Each structure stands twice: as C-alpha cells, then as structure tokens.
Amino acid sequence: MIFTFIWAFERQEDWVQVHKYYELYKNAGAEVHFVELQASLQVRLRRNPSQNRLMHKPSKRNIQFSTEQIISED
C-alpha cells in the first residue's frame, strides 16, 4: 500500500501521528518505508492546472490561489 501525507517536521503532533501509523502497519506485519517526494517549482507550476489534478483535488480548482500558494510555500 502506498499513501502520501504532508508531514510538518517542526510540529510535535505530526510526529505523534506518523508514529501511530508506523506502529499500526508494523504491528500488522507490513514493511514501512518513508520516501520524500520532490518536484521543482517549475514542474509544480506546470502540473497545477492539469485536468487530472483539477478533477481530483478540489482545493486546486481556484488556479490563481493555488498557484500563489505554491509560489509562497516554495
């Protein structure tokens, strides 16, 4: 199983939540790996208005807002 999440390393509550998921899957016998996905600003801006992303991510449908958010968070 593969799933993604945003992990704010500076927030203690995120570490607690990640640890809970880790323990849950480990105790079920799963092999757990953490992988950081990265894309350049240019790639993220190009992907942002794609049909697939707009269809599956309602938060991206305000393209101007989501583009500004991507730039400000970079």
Side-chain angles (χ1 to χ4, degrees), residues 7-20:
W7 181 354
F9 294 116
E10 70 279 3
R11 293 182 55 186
Q12 181 63 33
E13 56 269 27
D14 279 16
W15 285 84
V16 170
Q17 191 65 32
V18 167
H19 188 268
K20 285 180 186 176

Side-chain angles (χ1 to χ4, degrees), residues 1 19-32:
M1 175 189 328
H19 188 268
K20 285 180 186 176
Y21 279 116
Y22 175 82
E23 290 297 321
L24 176 72
Y25 289 107
K26 257 330 223 192
N27 291 337
E31 191 172 320
V32 179

